[in-house]
Amino acid sequence: MSVAAETQDDPELAAAVWDLEPIVGGEGAAGARRLIAEAQSRADAFATAYTDRVASMDSEELVTALAELSAIRDLMARADRYASLRTFSNSADAEGTSLQGASEAAAAEIAAKLLFFDLEWSGLEESRAERLLAGAGPRLDHATDHLRRLRARRAHQLTPAEERVLAETSVPRVAAWKRLFFENANALTVELDGETLPLTEADSRLRAPERTVRLAAMAAMDSGLQSGLPTRVTAFNQLLGEKAVDDRLRGFATWRSSRNLDNGLSDAAVDIQQAAVAARKDIPRRWSRLKARLLGLETLATCDLDAPLLSATAAVPYARARDVILAAWHDFSPQAEGLLEPFFSDGRIDAPIRANKRSGAFCDSVAPSQHPYILTNYGARSVEVSWLAHELGHGLHMELCRPMGKLGEPYSIPVIEMPSTFSENLVVDRQLADAGSDTERLELLLIRLDAAILNVFRASAYHQAETRMHALYREQGELSADQLSHAFSEATSQMFGDTLEIEPAFTKQWSLMPHLVSAPGYLYAYSFGMLLAWSAHARYRELGDAFVGDYLAMLAAGGSRTSAELMGMIGLDLEAPELWHTALHLIEVQLNEAERLA
């Protein structure tokens, strides 16, 4: 029986379908188009009122202008995310697809129209900009870091005319290539058990307890991923090219430099973090040997990476997952639990597996005026409790920082990825405390270690693959499917050595990874953020309740402070090299315990 069929026996899971209508005032596509029209009208008025005026503004005018700019971006975000979430949950939604195209075109047009403000602000003399901020006082506390980051990008800005050309040409091109890639990927199917099933079904079966099921799923994915692969390769090459040109024109030193600047991190800081992970390849290799032994295998294969262990084979009903997660958060903070419960009760999670639905899981902030939403493909596996907790960690962050508005949204991806892993750790700690045997404790430790291997070591390997893809494109131009697949498999092999057998279907899985397409350079944030989360969790264990208020305040601050300042709020120093070594040691301690219990 397929996982999709099994979920029909779980009425609470079947009912966990999101309600997107509040985003557009209950008006459906017409409401989204109304939001677009209002955003366009207000953008026109904003440009008329403020073009060539930023240099002569006083602090009062700056506060007023930024409030309107934030409101326009909020309106456009609502329409854009409504359309995107509709198509993510059903790629066959023709109206949603049409609306997404319209919203992307409008967003590009509005961004080009409003670009003058960022350029004029960046062009101000430093003393003049600081006087304006000082005059605004606490009214711009939420936006001060955003405004300073804009000025930090001055060295990489083009002329206003060139910026406008890129905004009106490159931005919509990139959006169109991304949309083509995702429409193709979301429609993929596989042949399994004599049925044509969504590819997400085969992906879910890679977490089945029976190895024969996993092997069949991986084999089915091999042919399933071949379908439409030339289209995805073409789209990805176009995106590699767009980024190469943009980086060259703006004078970025490496393909990742623009992402690091957006994250508020130096190239050197990220290199140090990645080097710390690469120096501990012994951890994923020990984990691989341990997992192979527990599965009764001589060598682990890629179809076994996410295989459940021990009693983790038991199905976990959706309601049970909800109760475990909310109980863990209640122990940490009843306030946090109160913010998370409506995700379940108010239709903000889309959980069942179904055809034409995007694979994987994510949390979407939508817009500060709205509540965030979560998409997942819940297959009732024990490990998926942690995955759901991961997305709810994002959801809590986004919910708490809504008052910051569009200009104070979280921006540093490593910092954004930290609360998700922190949430996973809270849930596993709660489960460990309730464990009634060494076997149950081992199971939970293995789930935690699986997450660490995925988000620290596998994510770092995938980031190295992405680095190789960008480097190859810049050396020789368009890449073949074989070159892209080789880069992906080679980086994985370098991380795991001879402890992992890489199957042919695995090499094509780069073409399912949304981050490579939608957010170049994103993947290192998983390892960066997870190691931050492990360090934060150690602080919580050390300080107890005294840590809770600082942690929630840090989340509520959103992107109103620098990454270093935000982490400083919870006692973490990003400049301290031992931060990474300490976090990696904590993972090793968990591995030591798992090896002992096994």
Side-chain angles (χ1 to χ4, degrees), residues 380-419:
R381 316 295 183 191
S382 181
V383 68
E384 291 175 88
V385 178
S386 289
W387 294 348
L388 183 56
H390 179 102
E391 300 307 332
L392 285 161
H394 285 309
L396 177 65
H397 189 191
M398 295 170 187
E399 189 69 29
L400 279 167
C401 71
R402 285 175 57 203
M404 293 293 105
K406 284 297 290 180
L407 302 184
E409 285 183 316
Y411 66 90
S412 176
I413 297 174
V415 174
I416 290 170
E417 287 300 336
M418 189 270 283

Side-chain angles (χ1 to χ4, degrees), residues 322 325-346 348 371-372 392 395-397 399-400 402 552:
R322 175 198 64 207
I325 294 168
L326 292 180
W329 273 104
H330 177 84
D331 291 346
F332 181 80
S333 164
Q335 176 195 352
E337 180 202 14
L339 292 170
L340 290 174
E341 193 281 331
F343 278 87
F344 296 96
S345 61
D346 292 353
R348 295 190 222 149
H371 296 293
L392 285 161
L396 177 65
H397 189 191
E399 189 69 29
L400 279 167
R402 285 175 57 203
L552 296 180

Side-chain angles (χ1 to χ4, degrees), residues 388-458:
L388 183 56
H390 179 102
E391 300 307 332
L392 285 161
H394 285 309
L396 177 65
H397 189 191
M398 295 170 187
E399 189 69 29
L400 279 167
C401 71
R402 285 175 57 203
M404 293 293 105
K406 284 297 290 180
L407 302 184
E409 285 183 316
Y411 66 90
S412 176
I413 297 174
V415 174
I416 290 170
E417 287 300 336
M418 189 270 283
S420 53
T421 298
F422 187 84
S423 178
E424 286 188 63
N425 281 341
L426 282 183
V427 170
V428 174
D429 268 3
R430 167 68 185 237
Q431 293 171 305
L432 284 169
D434 293 341
S437 67
D438 281 353
T439 299
E440 189 176 354
R441 182 174 178 81
L442 175 59
E443 174 194 338
L444 293 166
L445 286 171
L446 292 169
I447 288 174
R448 174 174 274 175
L449 285 167
D450 276 1
I453 297 302
L454 172 63
N455 292 306
V456 176
F457 297 99
R458 287 168 63 184

